[in-house]
Each structure stands twice: as C-alpha cells, then as structure tokens.
C-alpha cells in the first residue's frame, strides 16, 4: 500500500516539475518601450472657386406621379402571376439588387418571421410575411401591410410597397 502512495507522489512531483509559468513578466523589461513614431509631412490645403455646374439643372427632374400604383393595394396582382408555396419562399432574397430579405417559417402573429438587411424606406420595418393566394404580403412588426409581390418567373418576384415603391426579389 505504501508503494502505491510513493508512486502517486512521484507522479505528482514529476508532472509538477514539467510545469512552468507562461505569463509575461512585466518587471523584467520595465525600461524597454517601443520607439515613438516619426511624424509624416502633410500637404498644404488649397482654396478656390468651383466652376459653375454644366447643363440647365444640377438636379434630375422630379417624378410626375405621386399616387401609389394599382399593385400596391391589398389583393391586387398581375394577371400572369404564377402559383407559389410558403416553403418555396423560405431563405434569402436579393431586393432590388441592393439589399437582402430573409424569410423563415417561424410563426409571428398571423404570418411568418422575416426581415431585411441594408434596405431603405419602408422595407426597413419589415417583420413578417405570408402567402395569400398568388402573392406574398410583406408586413411590419405590428402586422400592417407594407407591400406585396407576386411570382413572375422561377426565383423572381415583382411588386411594390403600399406607397408605390417598386420591389423586385430574386435569388
């Protein structure tokens, strides 16, 4: 029995002998510090008048219509809309070629959870979506409809927001 205790003690001593401190010792190199950086030259600033803008106007012409387009109303859609299923909508979509929309099957109110990243305008408030007939209704976090889209081709949807902003989804 004593041999077992002696062997256990020997193993503990040998294992502790192999340990060493791996932390940095700040007291050993207290006087060594990095050399300061040298300043870089800065060019002088120039001032002057800008030339007048070319053309008749410096701004593009304003849009002529301000009323929402017919597709923005709930239940309105193109006559050539294709059939869709909720499962086919799940995943990531590119919106107008400039931001992303993510659709899941997680329940949120009467629809499913969804959201956008990098979008501007009304779509920043998107929180849920649902399939109604041949269109997909996009809703805010309170359940108010923001817009709708309908399927025009495989992995392609067209529609608009309730204020008439065009929406194009693609994968």
């Amino acid at each position: 029995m004593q041999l077992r205790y002696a062997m256990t003690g020997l193993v503990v001593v040998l294992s502790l002998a192999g340990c060493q401190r791996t932390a940095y010792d700040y007291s050993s190199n207290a006087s060594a510090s990095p050399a300061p950086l040298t300043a870089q030259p800065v060019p002088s600033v120039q001032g002057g008048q800008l030339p007048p803008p070319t053309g008749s106007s410096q701004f593009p012409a304003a849009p002529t219509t301000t009323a929402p387009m017919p597709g923005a109303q709930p239940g309105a859609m193109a006559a050539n809309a294709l059939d869709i299923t909720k499962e086919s909508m799940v995943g990531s979509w590119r919106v107008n070629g400039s931001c992303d929309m993510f659709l899941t099957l997680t329940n949120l109110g009467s629809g499913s959870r969804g959201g956008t990243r990098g979008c501007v305008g009304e779509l920043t408030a998107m929180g849920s979506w649902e399939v109604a007939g041949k269109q997909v209704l996009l809703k805010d976090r309170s359940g108010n409809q923001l817009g709708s889209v309908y399927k025009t081709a495989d992995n392609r949807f067209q529609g608009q927001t309730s204020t008439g902003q065009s929406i194009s989804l693609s994968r």
Side-chain angles (χ1 to χ4, degrees), residues 74-78 81-89 129-137 148-151 157:
M77 70 179 123
L82 302 172
D83 290 330
I84 55 175
T85 63
K86 195 171 186 178
E87 291 77 17
S88 68
M89 294 300 300
W129 65 281
E130 66 180 79
V131 174
K134 291 187 175 187
Q135 64 182 341
V136 178
L137 305 177
S148 63
V149 293
Y150 56 90
K151 187 173 184 177
F157 287 77

Side-chain angles (χ1 to χ4, degrees), residues 36-123:
L37 297 174
T38 57
Q40 296 294 316
V42 178
S44 62
V45 177
Q46 299 175 355
Q49 282 295 97
L50 293 174
T54 58
S56 62
S57 174
Q58 63 184 4
F59 299 105
T64 56
T65 85
T66 57
M69 296 167 56
Q73 301 303 321
M77 70 179 123
N80 60 348
L82 302 172
D83 290 330
I84 55 175
T85 63
K86 195 171 186 178
E87 291 77 17
S88 68
M89 294 300 300
V90 174
S92 175
W93 293 87
R94 193 77 177 151
V95 181
N96 297 338
S98 63
C99 65
D100 297 311
M101 180 181 290
F102 305 96
L103 306 177
T104 70
L105 288 176
T106 306
N107 289 336
L108 181 67
S110 65
S112 297
R113 187 175 303 277
T116 60
R117 178 180 60 198
C119 292
V120 296
E122 291 176 277
L123 292 179

Side-chain angles (χ1 to χ4, degrees), residues 3-15:
L3 180 60
R4 189 169 79 180
Y5 292 127
M7 292 300 286
T8 303
L10 181 63
V11 169
V12 168
V13 168
L14 288 175
S15 62

